[in-house]
Amino acid sequence: MNITGNTILITGGTSGIGRALAEALHAKGNTVIVAGRRQQLLDEITQKNPGIVGLPLDVADTNSIHSFVAQVKERFPKLNVLVNNAGIARPEDYTADDVDTAAALATLQTNITSVIQLTAGLLPTLRAQPKSTLMVTTSGLAFVPFPKAPVYSATKAFLHNWLDALRYQLRETSVEVLELAPPYVQTEFGGPQQATDPRAMPLDAFTNEVVQILEDNKIEKGEILVENVKPLRWAEKNGQYQQMLEMFGSF
Ligand SMILES: NC(=O)c1ccc[n+]([C@@H]2O[C@H](COP(=O)([O-])OP(=O)(O)OC[C@H]3O[C@@H](n4cnc5c(N)ncnc54)[C@H](OP(=O)(O)O)[C@@H]3O)[C@@H](O)[C@H]2O)c1
């Protein structure tokens, strides 16, 4: 994708990776729309970054998704980049007698169903542009699961596989299909302590590397991979899968 001159919608744009990418891409001369539930953060972001548009969206609510898609089509007919980035992770313990299936279903809706719904709703707009991008945030855990978050890890593996199929289907359209697979990054995704966890990649370093990959078009078969995620991405090929699974299991 070109790094400038786009109209970009980022879900999960109120914090963490989504917000950092939104601000970086805004600074590069794109029209950026951020979406999320926390109105206070949408207001803060739009105040700090004149030009960024904030739109409320709850991806756990199908009605919210439908009205959001209609609003985006009406207000931003030139939308040419959709970044499905909103996501949640919940721990599940399958050794317990009462496995928290409600948490699993919420994760499926947020991480998978809503991505399908938003993509299906906005692909006609993307396809109508001369050059467009569908991007989805997956995770290094798509390639080696984190045993404490089985459904979360599996949603990201689902998205990886789904994106491969979409990339093939859309190969003769104007839509490029990209997967952003972050490593462990310093955001509040897994709780406030993650934002300062020294084992996680600093958010600004991650964002800068992603923007550089986009600028240099160093995208490998549709995948945006910073250096830190490559051990996970290629664990199976490199014979490291079981070792990494066991290391994650010990956390
Ligand atoms: N940080 C990591 O280590 C890491 C690693 C690999 C992949 N990822 C992925 O990166 C993406 C962003 O995560 P992050 O690290 O930036 O964490 P984050 O700061 O918690 O961001 C999550 C975003 O998702 C949005 N969201 C969650 N539920 C939503 C809902 N029902 N409706 C609308 N928006 C919702 C949140 O916005 P509101 O709360 O305002 O709705 C927030 O903006 C996720 O898909 C995550 O799986 C993160």
Side-chain angles (χ1 to χ4, degrees):
M1 78 180 240
N2 294 335
I3 197 74
T4 193
N6 304 290
T7 302
I8 305 175
L9 166 62
I10 305 181
T11 71
T14 46
S15 61
I17 291 170
R19 177 173 178 168
L21 273 180
E23 291 180 334
L25 291 169
H26 173 65
K28 292 279 178 193
N30 296 283
T31 299
V32 177
I33 305 131
V34 290
R37 291 166 302 183
R38 288 171 288 177
Q39 187 61 47
Q40 196 191 331
L41 289 178
L42 292 172
D43 293 343
E44 182 189 303
I45 294 163
T46 51
Q47 269 161 25
K48 275 197 184 151
N49 304 274
I52 292 189
V53 177
L55 291 183
L57 168 68
D58 181 356
V59 298
D61 175 357
T62 298
N63 291 332
S64 170
I65 293 175
H66 286 148
S67 58
F68 178 81
V69 165
Q71 194 188 354
V72 170
K73 284 180 155 179
E74 167 90 19
R75 284 183 60 185
F76 303 99
K78 292 203 169 139
L79 180 82
N80 74 325
V81 180
L82 168 62
V83 183
N84 282 296
N85 167 77
I88 56 168
R90 300 281 181 266
E92 301 142 67
D93 181 2
Y94 288 85
T95 66
D97 289 335
D98 55 344
V99 177
D100 186 0
T101 53
L105 293 179
T107 307
L108 291 172
Q109 168 62 35
T110 299
N111 295 12
I112 295 182
T113 310
S114 80
V115 175
I116 296 170
Q117 290 167 322
L118 282 167
T119 302
L122 291 170
L123 259 178
T125 305
L126 296 184
R127 280 206 319 274
Q129 315 303 332
K131 198 170 169 1
S132 57
T133 301
L134 167 66
M135 191 189 296
V136 178
T137 306
T138 65
S139 169
L141 301 180
F143 307 101
V144 182
F146 193 66
K148 284 201 173 84
V151 167
Y152 172 72
S153 303
T155 62
K156 298 303 187 175
F158 173 106
L159 292 172
H160 169 75
N161 188 294
W162 180 75
L163 287 170
D164 275 356
L166 259 65
R167 188 174 302 114
Y168 188 82
Q169 278 198 16
L170 294 167
R171 70 195 181 286
E172 285 170 6
T173 72
S174 61
V175 187
E176 156 193 54
V177 176
L178 300 181
E179 173 178 1
L180 172 62
Y184 186 39
V185 177
Q186 286 179 342
T187 69
E188 296 196 354
F189 189 66
Q193 77 293 342
Q194 185 174 328
T196 53
D197 188 339
R199 295 170 300 180
M201 184 172 186
L203 181 58
D204 55 351
F206 171 73
T207 310
N208 291 341
E209 196 173 335
V210 169
V211 169
Q212 198 62 51
I213 289 170
L214 291 173
E215 268 182 334
D216 299 345
N217 202 23
K218 283 203 173 137
I219 297 168
E220 305 165 33
K221 291 189 182 157
E223 297 177 19
I224 302 167
L225 303 172
V226 300
E227 288 304 316
N228 280 8
V229 84
K230 289 184 180 175
L232 275 175
R233 173 63 183 97
W234 305 118
E236 190 154 20
K237 189 169 122 186
N238 294 340
Q240 301 290 315
Y241 184 92
Q242 191 59 27
Q243 193 183 329
M244 286 201 172
L245 182 67
E246 281 170 23
M247 181 187 72
F248 284 158
S250 70
F251 288 156

